[in-house]
Amino acid sequence: MTTRVALVTGGASGIGRETCLALAADDRQVAVADINAAGATETAELVRAAGGEAIAVTMDITDSDSVMQGHLQTVDELG
């Protein structure tokens, strides 16, 4: 079985954080993307504490270079 990867923008808090937790509970690896690096790290830690796999990705979705770097980081770390 292939593990599925989800990249969630706005994952540092609120609905984005809850989406990350729900996807992880559904056996998805999660890349928590947000301009708020500390919040993304916190969400990734919550996912891991619940038994999931997650990474924090600092990403500004208004900057195409930032989005590309976040995508490449996700592929490098999660596949």
Side-chain angles (χ1 to χ4, degrees), residues 9-67:
T9 59
S13 62
I15 294 169
R17 177 173 283 175
E18 293 303 316
T19 300
C20 291
L21 292 167
L23 288 165
D26 197 33
D27 295 326
R28 303 298 198 271
Q29 294 177 322
V30 181
V32 182
D34 206 289
I35 197 167
N36 175 356
T41 298
E42 184 178 321
T43 298
E45 290 170 354
L46 289 170
V47 168
R48 289 190 295 270
E53 184 173 352
I55 61 168
V57 177
T58 303
M59 181 188 292
D60 178 355
I61 63 167
T62 67
D63 177 352
S64 60
D65 289 335
S66 177
V67 172

